[in-house]
Each structure stands twice: as structure tokens, then as C-alpha cells.
Amino acid sequence: RKEVEQDPGPFNVPEGATVAFNCTYSNSASQSFFWYRQDCRKEPKLLMSVYSSGNEDGRFTAQLNRASQYISLLIRDSKLSDSATYLCVVNEERNYQLIWGAGTKLIIKP
Amino acid sequence: EAQVTQNPRYLITVTGKKLTVTCSQNMNHEYMSWYRQDPGLGLRQIYYSMNVEVTDKGDVPEGYKVSRKEKRNFPLILESPSPNQTSLYFCASRAGGPEAFFGQGTRLTVV
């Protein structure tokens, strides 16, 4: 079983719609969680951290469910520019490692 | 401007011909790492370094070497490249927190 799992997609979503995807992690001792965004053939960039109480950044909302060991990302009013691959990342602070999911591809269509 | 610089961006080479991909960061980060990214597999860590002269294997270190003689540089060395090392490679650096800063990537093809 992979340590961090994501549905690879692609999710094909019309512009303006709301889309959500999850990421599950296997290590219950994981401490911190993040979403990165990666545009085609580009480097990943930090999108947002995920806090226990949930957090919002504009149209993006991230949530953590420790009991079920998953994090989620919700995008409201999706834009064409949101088309990208979204990578779930778990920080295992005990050994200072970032564990990466394989990514979920999102395609926003006009 | 804070950045991580990788070179070259694109490289086509032949099996067995030693190559080095350079990585340099100007943010004084202690932690640097190399990843390869293949379709469906996501980012897999090859090697990482927590400081000068401190390096350790990641998940897929076979066929690769690294060195960390200076804080800013972390080259990736392929002593005898093989076709299964054809991939997209990223160097990344970070300070104590979770935000990793990536280079623009090196697309390597080994024929």
C-alpha cells in the first residue's frame, strides 16, 4: 500500500463548477499536510497547508480528517487556470521527510 | 530572487556515459533533495542532504550519487546511465519548514 494515495483522475470539470478530491495517508503519526500544485512540465509549488481545523484561501478549502486519515481539497467557482495536477504531501517530522502522492490531474473546460 | 537552479534543463545521452546534473540554491537552505518524476508514480526521492557533507538515500537511490561539499550546491551524478533512468528530475531545497522550493526540472533521456 502506498503511503500517500490519490485518485490520478483526470477530473474533467466545467468552468465555474465546484470540485473536490481527497488524499489518504497510511501513517497515523504523520504531523503535517500540504497541497502542492504542478502545472504541466513545470515544478511543483506549494498551494496551501492543511490545518486540523480546516482552512480556506480564497476559492480553495483544505480539510484534514485524522480519524479517517485523509485530507481534502475543494475548489469553488473553478477557473480555466486551475487546470493542473494537485499533489498531496505529508510531512513525517520524525525523519524530516516529505512523502508525496502521485497527484490528481484536474482539467477545467470552458 | 530566491531560486533553485538546475542545469541542464534537457539532456539526451547514451547508455553508460557519465553525467552530472547541477543544482544550486541561493536561500541558505540546509535541506536539499533530488526527486525523479515518472508518469503514474509521482515524485520519488532519490537522495537528500540535511547539511554539508551529510547525505542519505531516499526511496530510489540505485544508479545515482550525490555530494554536498557546499551548502548551496547539490549535484546529482549518474556514473553509468541506463534507459530506465530516463525521467524528469527535480532538485528541491527547504529550510526547517514544509515548503519545498523546486528547480525547473531536468528532462533526461538515456538511449
PDB file of all heavy atoms in Angstrom, chain A residues 89-109:
ATOM      1  N   VAL A  89       0.833  16.122   0.010  1.00  0.00           N
ATOM      2  CA  VAL A  89       2.140  15.904   0.629  1.00  0.00           C
ATOM      3  C   VAL A  89       1.977  15.771   2.138  1.00  0.00           C
ATOM      4  O   VAL A  89       1.266  16.560   2.764  1.00  0.00           O
ATOM      5  CB  VAL A  89       3.106  17.064   0.325  1.00  0.00           C
ATOM      6  CG1 VAL A  89       4.497  16.752   0.872  1.00  0.00           C
ATOM      7  CG2 VAL A  89       3.164  17.339  -1.157  1.00  0.00           C
ATOM      8  N   VAL A  90       2.638  14.782   2.686  1.00  0.00           N
ATOM      9  CA  VAL A  90       2.585  14.535   4.124  1.00  0.00           C
ATOM     10  C   VAL A  90       3.990  14.698   4.689  1.00  0.00           C
ATOM     11  O   VAL A  90       4.953  14.176   4.125  1.00  0.00           O
ATOM     12  CB  VAL A  90       2.055  13.112   4.386  1.00  0.00           C
ATOM     13  CG1 VAL A  90       2.129  12.767   5.864  1.00  0.00           C
ATOM     14  CG2 VAL A  90       0.628  12.979   3.879  1.00  0.00           C
ATOM     15  N   ASN A  91       4.091  15.423   5.773  1.00  0.00           N
ATOM     16  CA  ASN A  91       5.391  15.660   6.400  1.00  0.00           C
ATOM     17  C   ASN A  91       5.546  14.746   7.602  1.00  0.00           C
ATOM     18  O   ASN A  91       4.796  14.866   8.572  1.00  0.00           O
ATOM     19  CB  ASN A  91       5.491  17.119   6.832  1.00  0.00           C
ATOM     20  CG  ASN A  91       6.881  17.476   7.334  1.00  0.00           C
ATOM     21  OD1 ASN A  91       7.808  16.688   7.234  1.00  0.00           O
ATOM     22  ND2 ASN A  91       7.021  18.669   7.869  1.00  0.00           N
ATOM     23  N   GLU A  92       6.493  13.818   7.512  1.00  0.00           N
ATOM     24  CA  GLU A  92       6.783  12.950   8.648  1.00  0.00           C
ATOM     25  C   GLU A  92       7.918  13.590   9.419  1.00  0.00           C
ATOM     26  O   GLU A  92       9.085  13.374   9.119  1.00  0.00           O
ATOM     27  CB  GLU A  92       7.137  11.549   8.161  1.00  0.00           C
ATOM     28  CG  GLU A  92       5.984  10.882   7.431  1.00  0.00           C
ATOM     29  CD  GLU A  92       6.165   9.393   7.273  1.00  0.00           C
ATOM     30  OE1 GLU A  92       7.283   8.894   7.501  1.00  0.00           O
ATOM     31  OE2 GLU A  92       5.187   8.727   6.914  1.00  0.00           O
ATOM     32  N   GLU A  93       7.581  14.359  10.397  1.00  0.00           N
ATOM     33  CA  GLU A  93       8.593  15.174  11.070  1.00  0.00           C
ATOM     34  C   GLU A  93       9.628  14.343  11.812  1.00  0.00           C
ATOM     35  O   GLU A  93      10.740  14.797  12.012  1.00  0.00           O
ATOM     36  CB  GLU A  93       7.912  16.144  12.031  1.00  0.00           C
ATOM     37  CG  GLU A  93       7.131  17.205  11.279  1.00  0.00           C
ATOM     38  CD  GLU A  93       6.440  18.184  12.194  1.00  0.00           C
ATOM     39  OE1 GLU A  93       6.636  18.101  13.413  1.00  0.00           O
ATOM     40  OE2 GLU A  93       5.684  19.019  11.690  1.00  0.00           O
ATOM     41  N   ARG A  94       9.302  13.134  12.125  1.00  0.00           N
ATOM     42  CA  ARG A  94      10.270  12.326  12.866  1.00  0.00           C
ATOM     43  C   ARG A  94      11.537  12.118  12.056  1.00  0.00           C
ATOM     44  O   ARG A  94      12.619  11.995  12.583  1.00  0.00           O
ATOM     45  CB  ARG A  94       9.659  10.980  13.253  1.00  0.00           C
ATOM     46  CG  ARG A  94       9.239  10.129  12.065  1.00  0.00           C
ATOM     47  CD  ARG A  94       8.699   8.761  12.491  1.00  0.00           C
ATOM     48  NE  ARG A  94       8.188   8.047  11.343  1.00  0.00           N
ATOM     49  CZ  ARG A  94       8.951   7.358  10.507  1.00  0.00           C
ATOM     50  NH1 ARG A  94      10.260   7.291  10.697  1.00  0.00           N
ATOM     51  NH2 ARG A  94       8.421   6.740   9.480  1.00  0.00           N
ATOM     52  N   ASN A  95      11.391  12.038  10.748  1.00  0.00           N
ATOM     53  CA  ASN A  95      12.593  11.864   9.934  1.00  0.00           C
ATOM     54  C   ASN A  95      12.728  12.953   8.876  1.00  0.00           C
ATOM     55  O   ASN A  95      13.492  12.810   7.924  1.00  0.00           O
ATOM     56  CB  ASN A  95      12.588  10.473   9.282  1.00  0.00           C
ATOM     57  CG  ASN A  95      11.388  10.280   8.364  1.00  0.00           C
ATOM     58  OD1 ASN A  95      10.642  11.207   8.116  1.00  0.00           O
ATOM     59  ND2 ASN A  95      11.202   9.072   7.878  1.00  0.00           N
ATOM     60  N   TYR A  96      11.982  14.024   9.075  1.00  0.00           N
ATOM     61  CA  TYR A  96      12.153  15.226   8.261  1.00  0.00           C
ATOM     62  C   TYR A  96      11.816  15.013   6.789  1.00  0.00           C
ATOM     63  O   TYR A  96      12.246  15.753   5.939  1.00  0.00           O
ATOM     64  CB  TYR A  96      13.614  15.682   8.388  1.00  0.00           C
ATOM     65  CG  TYR A  96      13.814  17.176   8.305  1.00  0.00           C
ATOM     66  CD1 TYR A  96      13.129  18.040   9.126  1.00  0.00           C
ATOM     67  CD2 TYR A  96      14.724  17.693   7.402  1.00  0.00           C
ATOM     68  CE1 TYR A  96      13.332  19.390   9.046  1.00  0.00           C
ATOM     69  CE2 TYR A  96      14.941  19.049   7.312  1.00  0.00           C
ATOM     70  CZ  TYR A  96      14.247  19.904   8.148  1.00  0.00           C
ATOM     71  OH  TYR A  96      14.450  21.247   8.076  1.00  0.00           O
ATOM     72  N   GLN A  97      11.052  14.003   6.492  1.00  0.00           N
ATOM     73  CA  GLN A  97      10.767  13.680   5.097  1.00  0.00           C
ATOM     74  C   GLN A  97       9.405  14.192   4.648  1.00  0.00           C
ATOM     75  O   GLN A  97       8.448  14.247   5.418  1.00  0.00           O
ATOM     76  CB  GLN A  97      10.792  12.166   4.903  1.00  0.00           C
ATOM     77  CG  GLN A  97      12.139  11.532   5.139  1.00  0.00           C
ATOM     78  CD  GLN A  97      13.163  12.028   4.156  1.00  0.00           C
ATOM     79  OE1 GLN A  97      12.998  11.918   2.947  1.00  0.00           O
ATOM     80  NE2 GLN A  97      14.219  12.622   4.662  1.00  0.00           N
ATOM     81  N   LEU A  98       9.347  14.570   3.376  1.00  0.00           N
ATOM     82  CA  LEU A  98       8.075  14.850   2.724  1.00  0.00           C
ATOM     83  C   LEU A  98       7.700  13.627   1.900  1.00  0.00           C
ATOM     84  O   LEU A  98       8.496  13.145   1.113  1.00  0.00           O
ATOM     85  CB  LEU A  98       8.186  16.073   1.811  1.00  0.00           C
ATOM     86  CG  LEU A  98       8.460  17.420   2.462  1.00  0.00           C
ATOM     87  CD1 LEU A  98       8.570  18.511   1.393  1.00  0.00           C
ATOM     88  CD2 LEU A  98       7.379  17.768   3.472  1.00  0.00           C
ATOM     89  N   ILE A  99       6.499  13.139   2.110  1.00  0.00           N
ATOM     90  CA  ILE A  99       6.006  11.983   1.360  1.00  0.00           C
ATOM     91  C   ILE A  99       4.963  12.490   0.368  1.00  0.00           C
ATOM     92  O   ILE A  99       3.976  13.116   0.770  1.00  0.00           O
ATOM     93  CB  ILE A  99       5.381  10.928   2.289  1.00  0.00           C
ATOM     94  CG1 ILE A  99       6.303  10.615   3.471  1.00  0.00           C
ATOM     95  CG2 ILE A  99       5.045   9.659   1.510  1.00  0.00           C
ATOM     96  CD1 ILE A  99       7.644  10.040   3.085  1.00  0.00           C
ATOM     97  N   TRP A 100       5.164  12.187  -0.911  1.00  0.00           N
ATOM     98  CA  TRP A 100       4.348  12.766  -1.979  1.00  0.00           C
ATOM     99  C   TRP A 100       3.361  11.759  -2.530  1.00  0.00           C
ATOM    100  O   TRP A 100       3.698  10.605  -2.790  1.00  0.00           O
ATOM    101  CB  TRP A 100       5.257  13.227  -3.109  1.00  0.00           C
ATOM    102  CG  TRP A 100       6.198  14.312  -2.710  1.00  0.00           C
ATOM    103  CD1 TRP A 100       7.352  14.171  -2.002  1.00  0.00           C
ATOM    104  CD2 TRP A 100       6.057  15.703  -2.972  1.00  0.00           C
ATOM    105  NE1 TRP A 100       7.937  15.393  -1.808  1.00  0.00           N
ATOM    106  CE2 TRP A 100       7.171  16.356  -2.398  1.00  0.00           C
ATOM    107  CE3 TRP A 100       5.103  16.474  -3.644  1.00  0.00           C
ATOM    108  CZ2 TRP A 100       7.355  17.731  -2.469  1.00  0.00           C
ATOM    109  CZ3 TRP A 100       5.286  17.846  -3.721  1.00  0.00           C
ATOM    110  CH2 TRP A 100       6.403  18.460  -3.137  1.00  0.00           C
ATOM    111  N   GLY A 101       2.142  12.233  -2.752  1.00  0.00           N
ATOM    112  CA  GLY A 101       1.208  11.460  -3.546  1.00  0.00           C
ATOM    113  C   GLY A 101       1.570  11.611  -5.020  1.00  0.00           C
ATOM    114  O   GLY A 101       2.340  12.494  -5.385  1.00  0.00           O
ATOM    115  N   ALA A 102       0.970  10.760  -5.848  1.00  0.00           N
ATOM    116  CA  ALA A 102       1.277  10.791  -7.279  1.00  0.00           C
ATOM    117  C   ALA A 102       0.529  11.904  -8.005  1.00  0.00           C
ATOM    118  O   ALA A 102       0.830  12.185  -9.171  1.00  0.00           O
ATOM    119  CB  ALA A 102       0.971   9.443  -7.909  1.00  0.00           C
ATOM    120  N   GLY A 103      -0.443  12.513  -7.329  1.00  0.00           N
ATOM    121  CA  GLY A 103      -1.121  13.651  -7.934  1.00  0.00           C
ATOM    122  C   GLY A 103      -2.465  13.332  -8.541  1.00  0.00           C
ATOM    123  O   GLY A 103      -2.708  12.190  -8.975  1.00  0.00           O
ATOM    124  N   THR A 104      -3.339  14.324  -8.531  1.00  0.00           N
ATOM    125  CA  THR A 104      -4.646  14.245  -9.190  1.00  0.00           C
ATOM    126  C   THR A 104      -4.686  15.301 -10.280  1.00  0.00           C
ATOM    127  O   THR A 104      -4.470  16.487 -10.012  1.00  0.00           O
ATOM    128  CB  THR A 104      -5.791  14.507  -8.189  1.00  0.00           C
ATOM    129  OG1 THR A 104      -5.796  13.476  -7.203  1.00  0.00           O
ATOM    130  CG2 THR A 104      -7.128  14.546  -8.909  1.00  0.00           C
ATOM    131  N   LYS A 105      -4.956  14.851 -11.489  1.00  0.00           N
ATOM    132  CA  LYS A 105      -4.993  15.790 -12.611  1.00  0.00           C
ATOM    133  C   LYS A 105      -6.380  16.398 -12.746  1.00  0.00           C
ATOM    134  O   LYS A 105      -7.384  15.680 -12.775  1.00  0.00           O
ATOM    135  CB  LYS A 105      -4.604  15.088 -13.914  1.00  0.00           C
ATOM    136  CG  LYS A 105      -4.451  16.025 -15.084  1.00  0.00           C
ATOM    137  CD  LYS A 105      -3.854  15.327 -16.283  1.00  0.00           C
ATOM    138  CE  LYS A 105      -3.602  16.309 -17.411  1.00  0.00           C
ATOM    139  NZ  LYS A 105      -2.951  15.669 -18.566  1.00  0.00           N
ATOM    140  N   LEU A 106      -6.420  17.704 -12.811  1.00  0.00           N
ATOM    141  CA  LEU A 106      -7.680  18.436 -12.950  1.00  0.00           C
ATOM    142  C   LEU A 106      -7.671  19.211 -14.256  1.00  0.00           C
ATOM    143  O   LEU A 106      -6.711  19.936 -14.545  1.00  0.00           O
ATOM    144  CB  LEU A 106      -7.845  19.407 -11.773  1.00  0.00           C
ATOM    145  CG  LEU A 106      -9.052  20.334 -11.807  1.00  0.00           C
ATOM    146  CD1 LEU A 106     -10.350  19.543 -11.733  1.00  0.00           C
ATOM    147  CD2 LEU A 106      -8.979  21.357 -10.678  1.00  0.00           C
ATOM    148  N   ILE A 107      -8.732  19.052 -15.024  1.00  0.00           N
ATOM    149  CA  ILE A 107      -8.887  19.781 -16.285  1.00  0.00           C
ATOM    150  C   ILE A 107     -10.186  20.563 -16.208  1.00  0.00           C
ATOM    151  O   ILE A 107     -11.264  19.972 -16.066  1.00  0.00           O
ATOM    152  CB  ILE A 107      -8.907  18.818 -17.484  1.00  0.00           C
ATOM    153  CG1 ILE A 107      -7.611  18.011 -17.548  1.00  0.00           C
ATOM    154  CG2 ILE A 107      -9.132  19.591 -18.787  1.00  0.00           C
ATOM    155  CD1 ILE A 107      -7.625  16.898 -18.571  1.00  0.00           C
ATOM    156  N   ILE A 108     -10.080  21.873 -16.298  1.00  0.00           N
ATOM    157  CA  ILE A 108     -11.261  22.725 -16.291  1.00  0.00           C
ATOM    158  C   ILE A 108     -11.588  23.068 -17.739  1.00  0.00           C
ATOM    159  O   ILE A 108     -10.734  23.580 -18.465  1.00  0.00           O
ATOM    160  CB  ILE A 108     -11.032  24.019 -15.485  1.00  0.00           C
ATOM    161  CG1 ILE A 108     -10.532  23.681 -14.070  1.00  0.00           C
ATOM    162  CG2 ILE A 108     -12.320  24.834 -15.437  1.00  0.00           C
ATOM    163  CD1 ILE A 108     -11.498  22.873 -13.233  1.00  0.00           C
ATOM    164  N   LYS A 109     -12.827  22.807 -18.124  1.00  0.00           N
ATOM    165  CA  LYS A 109     -13.229  23.028 -19.514  1.00  0.00           C
ATOM    166  C   LYS A 109     -14.163  24.239 -19.613  1.00  0.00           C
ATOM    167  O   LYS A 109     -14.987  24.454 -18.740  1.00  0.00           O
ATOM    168  CB  LYS A 109     -13.921  21.783 -20.044  1.00  0.00           C
ATOM    169  CG  LYS A 109     -13.058  20.545 -19.932  1.00  0.00           C
ATOM    170  CD  LYS A 109     -13.465  19.454 -20.882  1.00  0.00           C
ATOM    171  CE  LYS A 109     -12.369  18.408 -20.970  1.00  0.00           C
ATOM    172  NZ  LYS A 109     -12.591  17.452 -22.039  1.00  0.00           N
TER     173      LYS A 109
END
